[in-house]
Amino acid sequence: MKKLTLLFSLLFSLTLFAQKKIVDYVNPNIGGIGHMLEPTIPLVHLPNSMMRISKEPKGYQSEKITHFPFTIVSHRKGTIGKFMISQNPTSQKPENWESAYDHDQETVSPYYYSVLLEDFDIKMELTASQHVSLSRFSFTNNAPANLYLQCRDNGKFNISPKENTITGFDMITAVDGIDLEHPVKVYFAVRFDQNMSDYGTFDTNKLDSNSKTISGNKIGAFFRFDDTSNPLQLKIAVSYISAEEAKKHLKSEMPDWDFDQYKESHKRIWNDALSKILVKGGSEDQKTVFYTALYRCYERMVNISEDGKYFSNYDQKIHSDDGVDFFVDDWVWDTYRATHPLMCLIDPENQSKKINSYIKMYEQSGWMPSFPLFTGDHTCMNGNHASSIIADAYFKGIRGFNIEKAFEGLKKNELEATMLPWKNGPATELDTFYHENGFFPALKPGEKEWVKEVHHWEKRQAVALTLGHSYDDWCIAQLAKDLNKKEDYQLFSKKANNYKNNFDSEIGFMAPKSSDGKWIRPFDPKLSGGLGGRAYFAENNSWTYTWDIQHDIAGLINLMGGNEKFNNKLDQLFVEPFGIPKWDYWDIFPDATGLTGQFVMGNEPSLHIPYLYNYSGAPWKTQKRIRSLMEVWFTNSPFGICGDEDGGGLSAFYVFSAMGFYPVTPGVPEYNIGSPIFNEITIDLGNGNQLQIIANNCSAKNKYIQSASLNGKELKGPYFEHSEIINGAKLILEMGPRPNKTWGSNPKFVPYSVSKN
């Protein structure tokens, strides 16, 4: 009897597993509690779609739902409009609409969201297409319901009660507290599947029943439905072109009211996208973390083409897209490192379109964007990292864009634009100094800032700028070489070595210099630089930025005195104490989350660091460290992402690392090998080609590579070339519980560095 029971239990489990789709592994609530800063947002959307929607407020621990935005257009705070339903008496005060909710009464997925609004016992469901959201409200209490629409900022509502339709717009005037030079309108069209019993408009002071139009600041519209015996459905379409275009989206996307049909259709779309990578082995939690991370990589960039045209705030015009979708909203400082390289593998067609969009933005604005949002190029972070995105795709064989025009824009940015963080515009005297002297000058302790263009909060970030632009210049140099631009190649190759000017051999760290060429003293690699280290670095200290030489690890090893000293310092990074109480340390470095010694897992400049042992003869240490970091800092819980998840930045690190390889140097068509957590990974490369990775005997203990082969040939180095896999390949890794310290340690077989190639 026991055997029979066990058999039935096994068969039932197998049936459940067979029914489970890849998309069912996604848990958008992972990371919903921020370790220090921003939590993740459990967005409902299609891959790269314009309509992106979630509940407000953000954060897993929020007690109440205040509203749902019409859409989330850009960055963390770019919500437009809001809607909410209530069975309280009609009120213009949003606090009278909100409702308590319980995660145990909530379903969250990429394509579907549902929740019980407990104050009213209303079940709210939501799904979304490219430009339209569809909501369904099911009522328990047979009482009138009020549905509210409200603008975030200055906007307008026009109500057509006979059509059960509302049109209007909301205005974006600022992003991250920075006023826009050209505010932009987001148009919307709203439709119900039931007739209204009453309607009207409101502002912060009063309700106006039967009013059909209103415009201004903090205004809205309300709609009462007396018959709640049947579910009420609501569609909201958004457009960046016009209200008429939004109405077209209502007709072309989800034209009828079959909620369940669209929910299943959107599920299939997500399942197809996530099935680009199939994994076997590992735990259920690891699969959940993996596919959730992959889902987040499809959040950026955003396709804003609408019926063959798009509105660009880079020149405030509507353009034809000429059959090539136009993409915006890229947090480049975060995404160039792993998100874009991942899409080069699994979505090269759209990657070509994204780069084409960068070039159009350059043509429209006169500058290659550095942080391109829908609202324009956001003055955020630092660097000219479009060079990395373009070089990486180009050298991996992706075409479909004007590389000559791209090079023109990258060169102009590097030689004519300011390098200053959180600043756009032409070069300043500090940039001139950099180009003449090969390092960005820092202020001496106590010296007051005299350059008006320097951001009062973000400071000069002098060392970070030199290191970041050294890498960017290397990317431009490689493009110049391939395009036979000899003078440009020589110029940018020389500038790619500027990082050496900030290495202080006396202390063994990257350090700031003042304009007289002298080292800043006193200087503490842990604590100097003020809040976020911003006088010299960006969000981190010298223990992080000393390794930020993605294009020339061999050169850095040489500066440090060879492999042994390099490895010893890298070892120390992961155990180095704070030197002060942890709460005081975080008071200085609030972005330093996921701390392991001085290593910061939760911030993007650290992502490549665990792989650097591959360059110094100790790849087994990379294997050990990568497994540990993934296990500790990426989990199936609301705490499961250890830093700001900026547009797939951290998630792409996990996707790559869980598969066993990582692009340390975007722009080099090559991947470093780490330690996969799955026994088998199959990546759909398109055109019927697959990369299959087999990790024999892989387990939590068996994390060390004993030997490796690629396409039947012994792999002697801890890396492989993009060209070796893109037409289909099989990588076989033999795994074991103890390190094979000879595998991958031959100095003849090391990954790319400028100094060795």
Side-chain angles (χ1 to χ4, degrees), residues 539-568:
E539 301 184 347
N540 298 276
N541 61 17
S542 189
W543 271 100
T544 293
Y545 275 93
T546 290
W547 315 96
D548 195 27
I549 322 296
Q550 292 167 269
H551 60 296
D552 197 11
I553 307 304
L556 181 61
I557 292 172
N558 184 58
L559 289 175
M560 288 187 177
N563 282 353
E564 183 177 357
K565 291 183 178 180
F566 180 87
N567 286 338
N568 289 341

Side-chain angles (χ1 to χ4, degrees), residues 668-671 710 715 719-726 729 750-752 757:
V668 175
E670 174 183 282
Y671 304 94
L710 181 63
L715 199 60
Y719 65 96
F720 54 87
E721 306 287 342
H722 183 81
S723 60
E724 295 176 299
I725 65 164
I726 196 59
V750 255
Y752 175 94
N757 293 81

Side-chain angles (χ1 to χ4, degrees), residues 604-660:
E604 283 81 4
S606 298
L607 298 185
H608 69 292
I609 295 176
Y611 288 90
L612 298 187
Y613 291 109
N614 283 353
Y615 297 76
S616 55
W620 66 273
K621 291 187 176 183
T622 282
Q623 297 154 31
K624 179 179 181 180
R625 185 62 62 189
I626 284 293
R627 282 290 197 96
S628 174
L629 292 169
M630 285 192 289
E631 180 181 357
V632 170
W633 295 116
F634 296 87
T635 61
N636 182 16
S637 80
F639 288 100
I641 293 182
C642 52
D644 283 353
E645 171 47 2
D646 291 321
L650 295 182
S651 287
F653 165 85
Y654 186 86
V655 171
F656 268 121
S657 296
M659 294 191 297

Side-chain angles (χ1 to χ4, degrees), residues 32 94 181 276 492 604 615 689:
E181 181 180 358
K276 287 278 190 176
F492 287 105
E604 283 81 4
Y615 297 76
N689 298 321

Side-chain angles (χ1 to χ4, degrees), residues 293-398:
L294 185 56
Y295 143 76
R296 289 215 165 91
C297 293
Y298 280 105
E299 188 180 330
R300 299 291 181 274
M301 296 169 70
V302 176
N303 178 0
I304 66 167
S305 280
E306 304 179 55
D307 297 324
K309 53 188 179 295
Y310 65 93
F311 170 78
S312 172
N313 207 36
Y314 291 81
D315 63 359
Q316 300 79 55
K317 294 179 181 178
I318 296 172
H319 299 265
S320 168
D321 67 15
D322 299 320
V324 180
D325 294 333
F326 186 78
F327 288 77
V328 293
D329 203 17
D330 194 8
W331 310 354
V332 189
W333 189 82
D334 310 278
T335 59
Y336 85 85
R337 306 167 197 271
T339 314
H340 280 282
L342 178 63
M343 291 302 159
C344 283
L345 270 181
I346 65 174
D347 195 16
E349 181 180 354
N350 275 332
Q351 194 65 15
S352 173
K353 294 177 182 178
K354 293 170 189 175
I355 293 171
N356 194 64
S357 300
Y358 265 84
I359 296 167
K360 287 182 179 180
M361 286 183 262
Y362 162 61
E363 292 175 323
Q364 293 162 7
S365 69
W367 298 104
M368 186 66 75
S370 58
F371 212 86
L373 303 186
F374 159 66
T375 51
D377 192 20
H378 188 32
T379 55
C380 189
M381 304 309 292
N382 58 60
N384 184 18
H385 298 318
S387 60
S388 172
I389 296 169
I390 294 169
D392 193 54
Y394 182 77
F395 290 116
K396 289 174 179 172
I398 294 175

Side-chain angles (χ1 to χ4, degrees), residues 73 103 269 345 366 431 448 466 470 491 503 566 610 643 703 750:
V73 297
H103 288 297
I269 291 170
L345 270 181
D431 302 288
K448 291 186 177 181
T466 300
S470 295
L491 170 65
F503 186 78
F566 180 87
K703 56 193 170 192
V750 255

Side-chain angles (χ1 to χ4, degrees), residues 446-679:
E447 189 176 13
K448 291 186 177 181
E449 184 59 71
W450 73 87
V451 179
K452 64 178 176 24
E453 292 89 353
V454 174
H455 194 283
H456 71 283
W457 176 266
E458 294 294 337
K459 311 301 181 185
R460 292 191 180 187
Q461 302 182 12
V463 180
L465 295 189
T466 300
L467 302 182
H469 283 271
S470 295
Y471 166 67
D472 294 335
D473 287 333
W474 171 83
C475 292
I476 297 172
Q478 303 316 298
L479 289 171
K481 182 179 181 180
D482 196 79
L483 297 173
N484 199 32
K485 300 178 184 293
K486 295 180 181 179
E487 290 185 5
D488 288 328
Y489 173 66
Q490 292 173 355
L491 170 65
F492 287 105
S493 292
K494 181 180 179 182
K495 291 166 74 67
N497 283 309
N498 283 345
Y499 76 89
K500 297 176 182 177
N501 296 328
N502 276 115
F503 186 78
D504 185 347
S505 58
E506 182 179 335
I507 62 173
F509 286 91
M510 294 292 168
K513 285 180 176 178
S514 56
S515 59
D516 58 9
K518 295 181 180 179
W519 297 112
I520 295 292
R521 293 290 190 267
F523 174 72
D524 184 337
K526 292 180 190 175
L527 303 176
S528 288
L531 182 61
R534 286 178 171 84
Y536 312 136
F537 307 103
E539 301 184 347
N540 298 276
N541 61 17
S542 189
W543 271 100
T544 293
Y545 275 93
T546 290
W547 315 96
D548 195 27
I549 322 296
Q550 292 167 269
H551 60 296
D552 197 11
I553 307 304
L556 181 61
I557 292 172
N558 184 58
L559 289 175
M560 288 187 177
N563 282 353
E564 183 177 357
K565 291 183 178 180
F566 180 87
N567 286 338
N568 289 341
K569 197 173 196 72
L570 198 49
D571 289 343
Q572 190 62 30
L573 168 69
F574 294 99
V575 297
E576 179 70 18
F578 303 130
I580 58 175
K582 190 173 184 178
W583 55 86
D584 287 334
Y585 188 87
W586 264 347
D587 191 45
I588 303 172
F589 294 104
D591 290 273
T593 53
L595 283 166
T596 305
Q598 287 291 307
F599 175 77
V600 183
M601 185 70 263
N603 204 256
E604 283 81 4
S606 298
L607 298 185
H608 69 292
I609 295 176
Y611 288 90
L612 298 187
Y613 291 109
N614 283 353
Y615 297 76
S616 55
W620 66 273
K621 291 187 176 183
T622 282
Q623 297 154 31
K624 179 179 181 180
R625 185 62 62 189
I626 284 293
R627 282 290 197 96
S628 174
L629 292 169
M630 285 192 289
E631 180 181 357
V632 170
W633 295 116
F634 296 87
T635 61
N636 182 16
S637 80
F639 288 100
I641 293 182
C642 52
D644 283 353
E645 171 47 2
D646 291 321
L650 295 182
S651 287
F653 165 85
Y654 186 86
V655 171
F656 268 121
S657 296
M659 294 191 297
F661 61 103
Y662 186 78
V664 168
T665 312
V668 175
E670 174 183 282
Y671 304 94
N672 269 246
I673 295 176
S675 178
I677 61 175
F678 301 110
N679 300 93

